[in-house]
Amino acid sequence: MAAPSATGQVPLIQLAGLTKHYGKGESLVRALDGIDLIVQDGEFVAVMGASGSGKSTCMNLLGFLDAPTGGRQFFRGVDVSTLDGDQRALLRRNFIGFVFQGFNLLARSTARENVELPLVYRRMAASERRHLSARALQRVGLSDRGHHLPSELSGGQQQRVAIARALVTTPSLLLADEPTGNLDSRTSAEIMDLLVHLNRDEGITIVMVTHEPDMARYARRVVEFRDGRIVSDHPGEGAH
Amino acid sequence: MFWSTLLMALQEIRRNALRSFLTMLGMVIGVGAVITLVSVGQGTTAQVTADIAKMGKNLVMVFPGSGHRRSGTAASAPPFRNEDSVALAAVQGVEAIAPLAAGNLLVVYGNKNESTQVMGTTTAYLGIREYAVEQGRMFSVSEEHAGRPVCVIGATTREDLFGSQDPIGESIRIQRLSCQVIGVLASKGQSAGGQDQDKVVLMPLLTFQRRVAGTPDVSSFFVTAADEIDTSRVISGIASVLRERRRIASGATDDFTVRDTAEIAQAVTAATSSMTALLGAIAAVSLIVGGIGIMNIMLVSVTERTREIGIRIAIGALGREVMLQFLVESVVLSVLGGLIGVLFGVLGAYGVSRGLSMPFVVSPETILLAFVVSALIGVVFGYLPARKAARLEPIEALRHE
């Protein structure tokens, strides 16, 4: 068990001296070089840094898409440092919602089918899936677009579908990797407003990777990466 | 989970309708070929078996010679005599016996002549070979003893020589013998050996021996064994009587052959069965080719859908769930192909059986086997692509363009 924080609450995420190395010998890359980080429930954290700073690697570890090389990783106080692929898949299935830069929707499935996909792997009955997906689409303001294919939607709408897909399982943690990277500034603001709304009004914990200070402004806490280490950790403008 | 996976597979197959159809075509041809060829083989077997059964019930045949044609004994073995017939009739289990002297001779009527199997025999022959007289009558016992120049002709012979004309009372000529037609036999069709059993002329044995062959030789015996006695005991009974009459020293080999139809049926069935197996094996090769086609397309599909697989894994699909998805897809492809193949195979078998006027035999076992094999091919050839999909790393798969 990880040590409870000062408030006595078990943190959602606790990283202790976490490392991730690629390659070996001379070509060894220390993508993460000893990270210590605690994220509590309800936070909205922006992870910033230049490309190659390790922020994406950290994101992959937080989302259980990859396993760390060393150090300890706790999720709700449980050590998840050394899990195999299927165990990590089950954690993703049950606790994580992903929003990607490139939307990553199934191109030949409708918006509703995309939103229902995580529920299929939870072996949920079709009627219940339909009910939950309709509600998730409503939360992102796309109730009337359920039967459209991604190619029939704008970039902003596609990202909303992706957010609905991430929300539909009511995850403990929403991970957003450059969610506005492919969007124009007006649409970006809309998406960020949606994320802020989800965090503030629905209490969803969000960790968002971005390299744009404009987007990081929305978060309540900003963590900055450089060369595989955290170089600053301060409250963001969204905290006010 | 299984149903939604199946549904997903069907959607995927429908989205790539043309590609799926071409992929299935391999299975369609493979399964269709197996079913058609095996059915044709089984039809041949059924026909041959039926033909042998038609030769006569509990039929036992006795020939001079050891039966090994290459040894040369067949030619040198002495023929039977009329008296042998009397001795054999006394063997236990012999219900009826007909001696036969025969030759393939030219039969002439008017300006027509046909090379025909001409047989001298007794009235018992009809019953033993299950011939029926369709028109006129069989020669009588008194005509038989007197060696009268009368004859009964087969249906083909009647057709060949007389056409639509009534043959009864007409005279046909066989070598120097002029012989009056008194009856026509009902058609029996081809024998197991492919001979026309209706291209025959029957006459009293004495008539044939004295006026056609010029010798008292009997070339074979046809025997009906009694139902209640084991045919093998009748065969050995006949053999021991003949050994005694032909003075064969104990230890020396028989210079004659006694054989029953079951034995012939066995030999022929063995031959046609191995032909069926061979045909099936050749067709099975195309099934394997069909399977390779499925594997090929599934590998392409996995590469194309790398990103989709990455999304599914990121969302929380387990390796085995991704694997199941692709396995179900390949099995659905191969089973659909197999089902269409069964349809075409049965149609093909029906067509061939009609074309060659053979019995139409499609055993449920063949269809079931083809079905199971096609499902199995889907699993075997779908395994490699499915495993490739299941082993994709989510981060790399998501980066795939």
Side-chain angles (χ1 to χ4, degrees):
Chain A
M1 291 288 284
S5 66
T7 59
Q9 189 188 7
V10 177
L12 178 64
I13 295 167
Q14 184 174 7
L15 308 180
L18 201 70
T19 60
K20 178 69 185 179
H21 297 171
Y22 294 109
K24 55 175 85 168
E26 300 237 327
S27 59
L28 181 82
V29 177
R30 297 173 197 276
L32 285 185
D33 197 11
I35 299 289
D36 298 299
L37 182 69
I38 288 179
V39 176
Q40 300 290 353
D41 280 299
E43 285 201 71
F44 186 169
V45 183
V47 175
M48 294 204 63
S51 72
S53 63
K55 62 181 196 302
S56 286
T57 305
C58 184
M59 178 85 172
N60 290 339
L61 293 181
L62 288 180
F64 307 114
L65 287 169
D66 211 347
T69 308
R72 311 290 294 280
Q73 178 179 5
F74 299 93
F75 188 77
R76 287 207 192 288
V78 180
D79 191 341
V80 291
S81 317
T82 55
L83 298 179
D84 67 22
D86 277 356
Q87 289 170 317
R88 280 188 272 118
L90 289 174
L91 281 179
R92 293 196 296 271
R93 174 186 296 184
N94 291 311
F95 301 109
I96 308 292
F98 285 102
V99 177
F100 301 98
Q101 178 178 2
F103 317 139
N104 278 338
L105 299 173
L106 298 187
R108 290 170 306 178
S109 300
T110 63
R112 189 174 59 72
E113 286 168 345
N114 268 288
V115 175
E116 284 186 14
L117 191 62
L119 303 178
V120 171
Y121 288 109
R122 287 189 170 197
R123 290 161 171 66
M124 197 173 277
S127 57
E128 202 176 344
R129 288 205 307 257
R130 190 168 284 250
H131 172 69
L132 287 180
S133 64
R135 226 178 51 192
L137 281 170
Q138 192 189 353
R139 280 161 85 184
V140 299
L142 285 178
S143 295
D144 53 340
R145 291 283 188 274
H147 55 281
H148 286 260
L149 291 176
S151 55
E152 296 163 350
L153 300 172
S154 71
Q157 286 172 326
Q158 288 186 54
Q159 195 60 301
R160 281 164 189 270
V161 173
I163 292 171
R165 181 181 64 189
L167 288 177
V168 76
T169 58
T170 52
S172 303
L173 175 63
L174 183 72
L175 284 174
D177 189 359
E178 306 267 9
T180 59
N182 284 7
L183 302 173
D184 62 48
S185 55
R186 217 190 85 213
T187 318
S188 294
E190 281 172 24
I191 293 293
M192 291 315 300
D193 286 338
L194 177 61
L195 290 180
V196 167
H197 159 72
L198 292 171
N199 174 251
R200 192 165 289 175
D201 304 331
E202 302 193 22
I204 291 166
T205 312
I206 300 175
V207 173
M208 174 183 75
V209 166
T210 183
H211 64 272
E212 295 174 82
D214 280 354
M215 300 303 136
R217 263 190 12 229
Y218 289 89
R220 292 204 257 173
R221 178 183 170 192
V222 178
V223 175
E224 214 164 317
F225 276 66
R226 190 177 300 150
D227 299 331
R229 292 168 190 269
I230 293 174
V231 292
S232 91
D233 187 346
H234 55 83
E237 290 174 37
H240 309 305
Chain B
M1 190 69 196
F2 179 77
W3 285 114
S4 55
T5 310
L6 189 67
L7 212 69
M8 221 149 67
L10 287 172
Q11 274 174 0
E12 197 57 47
I13 285 165
R14 215 182 45 195
R15 272 177 194 139
N16 290 310
L18 179 64
R19 182 203 279 187
S20 303
F21 169 72
L22 290 175
T23 310
M24 281 190 293
L25 207 56
M27 294 302 298
V28 172
I29 292 171
V31 170
V34 167
I35 288 189
T36 304
L37 291 182
V38 169
S39 296
V40 168
Q42 287 174 334
T44 310
T45 307
Q47 184 176 36
V48 167
T49 311
D51 288 346
I52 290 170
K54 264 197 292 186
M55 284 171 71
K57 193 163 158 256
N58 296 351
L59 183 66
V60 176
M61 289 169 283
V62 189
F63 305 99
S66 68
H68 304 291
R69 282 184 190 172
R70 261 178 234 162
S71 64
T73 49
S76 57
F80 302 118
R81 298 286 168 217
N82 292 0
E83 298 74 36
D84 293 330
S85 178
V86 181
L88 289 179
V91 171
Q92 200 197 4
V94 171
E95 204 167 80
I97 179 163
L100 203 72
N104 209 29
L105 301 167
L106 211 59
V107 177
V108 184
Y109 173 75
N111 58 356
K112 294 190 184 116
N113 60 72
E114 285 288 331
S115 177
T116 305
Q117 185 72 8
V118 179
M119 296 188 271
T121 185
T122 61
T123 51
Y125 185 74
L126 276 200
I128 292 169
R129 293 296 317 276
E130 296 180 351
Y131 274 111
V133 176
E134 192 177 59
Q135 193 189 350
R137 60 174 182 89
M138 181 61 175
F139 49 81
S140 66
V141 177
S142 61
E143 282 167 329
E144 188 186 306
H145 288 318
R148 300 278 303 148
V150 290
C151 59
V152 176
I153 61 176
T156 306
T157 304
R158 174 235 163 107
E159 183 71 34
D160 288 345
L161 294 182
F162 296 99
S164 57
Q165 191 188 339
D166 183 7
I168 305 295
E170 298 295 322
S171 281
I172 55 175
R173 198 162 54 75
I174 299 160
Q175 293 180 345
R176 285 200 198 94
L177 169 71
S178 179
C179 181
Q180 191 188 16
V181 177
I182 57 169
V184 178
L185 298 172
S187 174
K188 230 166 117 79
Q190 283 198 345
S191 75
Q195 268 184 323
D196 185 351
Q197 300 179 89
D198 299 323
K199 197 161 182 169
V200 290
V201 172
L202 300 184
M203 64 179 71
L205 180 63
L206 270 180
T207 314
F208 186 86
Q209 286 172 332
R210 286 182 187 159
R211 308 198 36 193
V212 179
T215 65
D217 297 348
V218 170
S219 57
S220 58
F221 292 108
F222 282 71
V223 176
T224 297
D227 261 339
E228 59 280 4
I229 291 187
D230 194 0
T231 309
S232 63
R233 281 183 52 202
V234 178
I235 291 173
S236 62
I238 291 170
S240 69
V241 166
L242 283 177
R243 283 178 74 89
E244 201 179 303
R245 291 185 62 81
R246 292 158 81 86
R247 296 195 171 75
I248 297 167
S250 63
T253 52
D254 294 346
D255 63 353
F256 57 87
T257 307
V258 188
R259 207 181 264 169
D260 71 335
T261 42
E263 220 177 311
I264 298 169
Q266 248 169 26
V268 176
T269 306
T272 54
S273 296
S274 57
M275 182 190 80
T276 305
L278 184 71
L279 288 176
I282 292 168
V285 172
S286 59
L287 266 181
I288 292 173
V289 175
I292 292 171
I294 287 181
M295 176 151 74
N296 188 15
I297 280 303
M298 290 308 294
L299 280 172
V300 170
S301 176
V302 167
T303 307
E304 273 183 357
R305 287 152 69 191
T306 298
R307 204 180 169 81
E308 174 199 322
I309 296 162
I311 294 169
R312 289 177 184 279
I313 294 177
I315 275 170
L318 299 177
R320 60 172 177 273
E321 288 167 340
V322 173
M323 180 133 179
L324 182 72
Q325 181 190 345
F326 281 88
L327 267 186
V328 166
E329 233 176 275
S330 65
V331 169
V332 167
L333 268 181
S334 64
V335 165
L336 274 182
L339 283 177
I340 301 173
V342 166
L343 195 72
F344 279 105
V346 170
L347 282 178
Y350 182 71
V352 172
S353 73
R354 285 295 296 271
L356 301 179
S357 57
M358 280 189 341
F360 172 54
V361 182
V362 174
S363 60
E365 290 92 342
T366 311
I367 291 177
L368 195 70
L369 190 74
F371 188 74
V372 169
V373 164
S374 57
L376 215 64
I377 280 178
V379 172
V380 169
F381 289 93
Y383 178 76
L384 197 73
R387 198 185 60 172
K388 190 181 160 194
R391 287 189 176 176
L392 284 176
E393 283 298 327
I395 299 170
E396 283 164 41
L398 283 172
R399 248 183 246 142
H400 187 88
E401 284 309 312

